Amino acid sequence: MDEKCSCDNCELKELFVDSLEEDHMEAVCSSKKEKDYSVGEVILKERTQIREFTYLKSGLVKLFRSDPSGSEQIITIAKPMDYVSLLSVFSNDEYNYSVTALEDSVTCSLNLENLRMMMRENGGLALSLLQKMSRAADRIILDTLEIRKKHLRGRVAYLLLYFSDNVYFSSEFDLPLTRKEMAEYVGMTTENVIRTLSEFRKDGILKIYGKTIQIVNQELLRSISEFG
Amino acid sequence: MDEKCSCDNCELKELFVDSLEEDHMEAVCSSKKEKDYSVGEVILKERTQIREFTYLKSGLVKLFRSDPSGSEQIITIAKPMDYVSLLSVFSNDEYNYSVTALEDSVTCSLNLENLRMMMRENGGLALSLLQKMSRAADRIILDTLEIRKKHLRGRVAYLLLYFSDNVYFSSEFDLPLTRKEMAEYVGMTTENVIRTLSEFRKDGILKIYGKTIQIVNQELLRSISEFG
DNA sequence: GTCATGATATGACATTTATCATACCGTGCT
DNA sequence: AGCACGGTATGATAAATGTCATATCATGAC
């Protein structure tokens, strides 16, 4: 909750900047709600009313669905600008997925009705937003298909490379997920995630110190991800 | 290819009707291209330039991706109003999926640049379209997660019920997919699709006459789909 | 510090699923 | 008619994956 207007250093501003006149920008800025979350906190919960359009300013989050039986499926891991609500904000009354923070995160929310109104008045804004959200949905669909094609080793490799290439930009990083969550993301059991990581370690592909992963043989990991 | 304006009986018209003034509606109508496809024909091909916004007026299509290795993954089966291009039209230069007709189908295409322009000028249209496309993308994501949770029997049951409940509205229908395509959709092998169908027949759940399926024990099929 | 708890780890085993071989059937082609 | 071809079908077997049991380790609560 920031009283002053902090939109100037918000990455989402680029969407609005060409689209909105100054006075509208003021309106956006004054109605927005910024919130801080620490690791593990729930950002939003499935089956609750959608009243806001939420996007991620900083941090890392997981989107997931939970079963009556208690099991969870992770839909995607999203970083800033990957997560600008999801499509359902414009087609559903209730969220059909939950979001929790994997790292300390900051979100910013706009009143959904206001945003709809702005979009109606300003097609350029609508189009920009559509494009952003399309990219996110596209990535989810393609990633899911990609993962489904692979065997266990390929799935784990894919996930590790995702973090290395797209989130941390380093061959060494701290996993933001537990082994269980990794399993929920790529659709396998916790034991098999652990086993596969151990195999990679034994094969000299990784060094593992608890949650810290160091990718030693990137070539090999990449070829396992693509097919192995 | 229709010379006269046939938009009056197009289901998509509802999107435009409240949004566009008469003269714009004329523009849409005159620039649109309607095309007929018969079973098996390619409607669009992945890795080709996106120049049009395409939606399905009638028929049934499959969206799929193909591998260098030759294997195909079906992303979704879509009927009219399920398929209004896909999100990528607004975020990509090239299609990342192909579409072919499972039944005789009619598509209608608008020039994408024109549509963009209309959306920029008319936020209401943009918002309506966003909503339609959101629903489609949402369904793909949720279906994929749903299918991933299930075992073979559950997957086949789910697929059969999809056709019965959402496409043909009858307990007896002709499968628009080969067994191989069913396998490509739900992520299993052709042999196992066939085997599972045979099991269902032996268990008295289905009657099978080639491509014609009759669901005899719907209760049981439904419980297998949910979990069994 | 001790305890409880959940995460990580590994092995043995059961189950599920894929692969390979083979056969049959229908359709279109000549 | 005869043939080639792709779809359907089934069984035997191999491979991949899940389940269950158990152990260790780290962490936070008290």
Side-chain angles (χ1 to χ4, degrees):
Chain A
M1 312 276 189
D2 220 347
E3 286 317 310
K4 78 165 180 48
C5 182
S6 65
C7 297
D8 289 336
N9 42 12
C10 175
E11 296 183 61
L12 199 74
K13 198 190 170 191
E14 68 190 71
L15 284 188
F16 294 89
V17 76
D18 288 334
S19 317
L20 292 183
E21 312 83 60
E22 260 320 300
D23 53 338
H24 268 154
M25 198 64 211
E26 284 300 317
V28 171
C29 198
S30 62
S31 79
K32 78 175 196 304
K33 279 190 271 181
E34 214 170 304
K35 288 184 202 150
D36 293 324
Y37 296 91
S38 39
V39 179
E41 271 192 279
V42 174
I43 295 173
L44 59 89
K45 236 176 141 42
E46 56 196 309
R47 267 168 263 278
T48 60
Q49 275 263 311
I50 303 179
R51 291 204 180 78
E52 292 174 328
F53 176 88
T54 302
Y55 61 95
L56 188 63
K57 283 194 70 169
S58 67
L60 195 73
V61 301
K62 67 168 175 176
L63 278 64
F64 64 102
R65 280 165 67 81
S66 20
D67 233 37
S69 75
S71 73
E72 295 181 350
Q73 282 183 295
I74 294 184
I75 302 171
T76 194
I77 310 292
K79 50 185 206 300
M81 294 308 98
D82 278 352
Y83 181 58
V84 284
S85 276
L86 247 202
L87 301 153
S88 32
V89 284
F90 292 114
S91 57
N92 278 41
D93 292 334
E94 298 186 346
Y95 293 106
N96 47 32
Y97 59 92
S98 301
V99 181
T100 71
L102 294 173
E103 296 179 351
D104 293 346
S105 298
V106 180
T107 65
C108 192
S109 300
L110 303 178
N111 176 283
L112 188 53
E113 266 321 309
N114 287 353
L115 181 63
R116 268 188 220 270
M117 211 164 10
M118 284 190 284
M119 286 168 75
R120 258 189 288 268
E121 286 173 16
N122 187 321
L125 173 64
L127 204 51
S128 304
L129 218 46
L130 173 52
Q131 182 174 319
K132 278 278 184 225
M133 297 177 75
S134 296
R135 287 227 176 86
D138 242 38
R139 197 176 73 71
I140 292 174
I141 293 171
L142 295 183
D143 273 3
T144 306
L145 288 171
E146 206 54 43
I147 286 169
R148 186 167 87 178
K149 280 199 293 204
K150 300 178 193 305
H151 287 181
L152 300 193
R153 288 166 63 89
R155 293 181 188 184
V156 173
Y158 189 80
L159 186 50
L160 294 174
L161 287 169
Y162 168 71
F163 287 124
S164 174
D165 293 342
N166 301 309
V167 181
Y168 300 113
F169 308 102
S170 160
S171 64
E172 188 172 346
F173 55 88
D174 283 4
L175 279 170
L177 299 178
T178 64
R179 311 291 195 258
K180 181 156 171 284
E181 288 171 318
M182 292 176 68
E184 288 166 351
Y185 187 26
V186 297
M188 48 194 277
T189 58
T190 308
E191 291 96 321
N192 279 333
V193 168
I194 292 169
R195 244 186 284 270
T196 304
L197 286 171
S198 294
E199 280 175 33
F200 286 169
R201 178 173 40 72
K202 285 172 196 154
D203 295 345
I205 299 171
L206 301 178
K207 288 188 179 164
I208 304 177
Y209 320 95
K211 285 214 178 309
T212 304
I213 298 286
Q214 188 192 342
I215 299 174
V216 177
N217 190 337
Q218 198 174 98
E219 254 88 326
L220 188 46
L221 191 62
R222 230 168 261 286
S223 91
I224 290 171
S225 168
E226 277 161 33
F227 193 90
Chain B
M1 312 279 187
D2 221 346
E3 285 317 310
K4 77 167 179 51
C5 183
S6 65
C7 297
D8 289 335
N9 41 11
C10 176
E11 296 183 60
L12 200 73
K13 198 191 171 192
E14 68 189 73
L15 284 187
F16 294 89
V17 77
D18 287 336
S19 316
L20 291 183
E21 313 82 60
E22 260 320 302
D23 54 338
H24 267 155
M25 198 63 212
E26 283 300 316
V28 171
C29 196
S30 63
S31 80
K32 76 174 199 305
K33 277 190 268 177
E34 212 170 306
K35 288 183 204 153
D36 293 323
Y37 296 92
S38 39
V39 179
E41 271 192 277
V42 175
I43 294 174
L44 58 89
K45 236 176 142 40
E46 56 197 308
R47 267 168 264 277
T48 60
Q49 275 263 310
I50 303 180
R51 291 205 180 81
E52 293 175 329
F53 176 87
T54 301
Y55 60 96
L56 188 63
K57 284 194 69 170
S58 67
L60 196 73
V61 300
K62 67 167 175 176
L63 277 66
F64 64 100
R65 280 165 65 82
S66 22
D67 232 36
S69 76
S71 72
E72 296 182 350
Q73 281 183 296
I74 294 184
I75 301 170
T76 194
I77 309 293
K79 52 184 202 305
M81 293 307 99
D82 279 351
Y83 181 56
V84 284
S85 277
L86 248 203
L87 300 152
S88 32
V89 284
F90 293 113
S91 57
N92 278 41
D93 291 335
E94 297 186 347
Y95 292 106
N96 47 33
Y97 59 92
S98 300
V99 180
T100 69
L102 294 174
E103 297 178 349
D104 294 346
S105 297
V106 180
T107 66
C108 190
S109 301
L110 303 177
N111 177 282
L112 188 53
E113 265 322 308
N114 287 351
L115 182 63
R116 268 189 222 270
M117 211 164 12
M118 284 191 283
M119 286 168 77
R120 257 189 288 269
E121 285 172 18
N122 187 323
L125 173 65
L127 203 51
S128 304
L129 219 45
L130 173 51
Q131 181 174 318
K132 278 279 183 225
M133 298 178 75
S134 295
R135 288 228 176 87
D138 243 37
R139 195 176 75 73
I140 292 174
I141 293 171
L142 296 183
D143 272 3
T144 306
L145 289 171
E146 205 55 43
I147 286 169
R148 189 167 82 178
K149 281 198 293 202
K150 299 177 194 304
H151 286 181
L152 300 194
R153 288 167 62 89
R155 293 182 189 183
V156 174
Y158 189 79
L159 185 51
L160 294 175
L161 287 169
Y162 168 73
F163 287 124
S164 175
D165 293 343
N166 301 310
V167 181
Y168 299 112
F169 307 103
S170 161
S171 64
E172 187 172 345
F173 54 88
D174 283 4
L175 278 171
L177 299 177
T178 63
R179 312 292 195 258
K180 180 156 172 283
E181 287 172 319
M182 292 177 68
E184 287 166 352
Y185 187 25
V186 297
M188 48 194 278
T189 58
T190 307
E191 292 95 322
N192 279 331
V193 168
I194 293 169
R195 245 187 285 270
T196 304
L197 286 172
S198 295
E199 280 175 35
F200 286 169
R201 177 173 42 72
K202 284 172 197 153
D203 294 345
I205 299 170
L206 301 178
K207 288 189 179 163
I208 305 177
Y209 318 95
K211 285 216 178 310
T212 304
I213 298 285
Q214 186 192 345
I215 300 175
V216 177
N217 191 337
Q218 199 175 94
E219 255 88 325
L220 188 46
L221 191 62
R222 230 168 262 286
S223 93
I224 290 171
S225 168
E226 277 161 32
F227 194 88

